[in-house]
Amino acid sequence: MAGLFPSLLLLLVPLSLTALAEASPSSTHDKFLPDKIARELAGYQDVVEQIVDYAVNGPGQNQSYDRLATFTDAFGSRLSGTQNLENSIDYMLEYLRKDGLDNVHGEDVNVTRWLRNQESARLVEPRDYVIAISSLGSSVGTPEEGILAYAIVVRSFDELVTRMDEVTGKIVVFNQDYEGYPKSAIYRVASASRAAEFGAVATLIRSVAPFSIHSVHTGIQFYNESLPKIPTACITIEDAEMLYRMEQRGTRLRIQLIMGAENLNMTRSRNTVAEITGSVYPEQVVVVSGHIDSWDVGQGAMDDGGGVFISWQALTTVR
């Protein structure tokens, strides 16, 4: 969004504006804002209340939800590099123009193109059991016949290092604790290369989540270009815990992994841009954004359809 009124840059804290202005100089607000700025912000309380009323009681009520539902029902998943993503961008450009926004256009950009294709995993020793998996973005695939190998289960990168002599030729299963998304997601992002350094042939990562209903997550992972690239996928929390328990009892684990993942050439896509040109400071720019693409195993309503349509709603509300 280009050139919005300064008052609209702080709409995330409408309930605190009056309190900030009325607080005494010795109160905690002076740790965050000078009195002059706090009083200035409080002067926009009427504008804030108009916006809140529009969003809660007026034409904006449920508008972003309804737009998002229509969009995701129409297009579903929007994997980077696919025609379906491009079709969804065409839709957004059309409706942003219909909404009366300024300078609506697409900006050409090169994007990665990765395909999941067929994927499966099966525990073949000590018993036959299908393991639910979801290949991680940018992962390489297995040979066509798959990988059949014994597995070890570790709970951390430190344990991986401690057991490095056991890793060569194995599938490494990571059953890390969930310690919040930013801290735990590193296992999804980096485990393949960490294990490849010690000779692993593949990795299976416990889904990065606090709980599960036997559901697998996907997401991006990155390779260390100086190390071999090995297949990597997420498994459910339940299966990671089961494999860990079995290994703790001394049971040998053997897994067959088949992944048809492919990394293809970069392809052309578009950023989607719309603006409201400000009337007071048009040269100043405030950006709100989301990513319109999504993973292929869901409809992308929250990751990141929600971000996209909240951003659009901000423009609609201000306009």
Side-chain angles (χ1 to χ4, degrees):
M1 294 184 292
L4 299 180
F5 285 104
S7 61
L8 301 183
L9 304 184
L10 293 165
L11 296 183
L12 296 178
V13 288
L15 298 180
S16 67
L17 299 184
T18 301
L20 284 172
E22 293 177 350
S24 66
S26 60
S27 69
T28 57
H29 86 267
D30 58 6
K31 297 178 182 178
F32 305 101
L33 291 173
D35 289 343
K36 180 180 179 181
I37 294 177
R39 286 192 294 270
E40 181 180 354
L41 292 177
Y44 293 108
Q45 189 67 35
D46 289 344
V47 176
V48 170
E49 290 173 357
Q50 290 177 47
I51 291 174
V52 170
D53 184 65
Y54 174 89
V56 175
N57 304 309
Q61 185 183 43
N62 295 328
Q63 189 174 43
S64 60
Y65 177 88
D66 292 339
R67 286 171 168 175
L68 174 61
T70 300
F71 178 78
T72 54
D73 289 347
F75 297 102
S77 65
R78 306 169 300 280
L79 192 62
S80 175
T82 63
Q83 185 59 48
N84 197 48
L85 172 61
E86 297 310 304
N87 294 343
S88 72
I89 292 172
D90 289 338
Y91 174 97
M92 288 297 297
L93 291 171
E94 176 185 355
Y95 280 87
L96 290 170
R97 292 187 181 103
K98 287 182 177 179
D99 199 30
L101 301 175
D102 304 331
N103 193 27
V104 176
H105 66 283
E107 295 178 339
D108 286 348
V109 60
N110 290 325
V111 297
T112 56
R113 190 178 177 205
W114 175 83
L115 297 178
R116 178 181 308 279
N117 298 320
Q118 295 299 311
E119 57 187 10
S120 66
R122 182 180 293 272
L123 180 68
V124 297
E125 186 182 331
R127 66 181 175 94
D128 184 59
Y129 173 77
V130 174
I131 301 172
I133 68 167
S134 183
S135 303
L136 292 174
S138 84
S139 176
V140 297
T142 64
E144 186 174 350
E145 67 277 12
I147 292 173
L148 179 62
Y150 286 100
I152 67 168
V153 185
V154 299
R155 295 190 64 87
S156 67
F157 290 134
D158 288 341
E159 184 180 351
L160 174 69
V161 173
T162 300
R163 300 177 63 186
M164 68 172 70
D165 293 339
E166 304 174 51
V167 173
T168 300
K170 301 280 187 22
I171 295 172
V172 177
V173 179
F174 284 87
N175 183 36
Q176 74 283 351
D177 289 330
Y178 183 76
E179 300 181 81
Y181 191 82
K183 186 172 183 178
S184 296
I186 188 63
Y187 285 91
R188 190 197 73 212
V189 171
S191 289
S193 289
R194 294 285 189 98
E197 182 177 2
F198 303 122
V201 295
T203 54
L204 297 174
I205 320 301
R206 170 175 164 154
S207 289
V208 182
F211 62 92
S212 172
I213 49 173
H214 203 252
S215 53
V216 287
H217 293 198
T218 192
I220 194 65
Q221 69 89 37
F222 298 103
Y223 288 118
N224 182 331
E225 294 296 328
S226 67
L227 295 169
K229 296 180 180 181
I230 62 174
T232 183
C234 274
I235 62 175
T236 68
I237 293 175
E238 293 91 335
D239 285 349
E241 288 284 347
M242 179 190 71
L243 294 172
Y244 175 73
R245 291 193 304 270
M246 295 171 80
E247 187 189 63
Q248 290 297 295
R249 299 185 191 112
T251 304
R252 278 166 54 101
L253 306 172
R254 201 178 191 198
I255 295 172
Q256 183 180 42
L257 178 65
I258 298 175
M259 290 170 47
E262 295 180 87
N263 287 283
L264 305 176
N265 292 332
M266 299 278 284
T267 190
R268 187 64 58 88
S269 187
R270 291 162 291 171
N271 291 325
T272 307
V273 181
E275 298 181 8
I276 297 175
T277 304
S279 58
V280 178
Y281 302 111
E283 76 285 356
Q284 296 182 9
V285 177
V286 176
V287 177
V288 294
S289 67
H291 63 84
I292 195 170
D293 65 317
S294 73
W295 291 107
D296 53 326
V297 292
Q299 74 273 42
M302 289 305 299
D303 186 10
D304 185 34
V308 168
F309 281 83
I310 289 169
S311 297
W312 179 9
Q313 191 66 30
L315 273 71
T316 296
T317 303
V318 169
R319 180 182 55 78

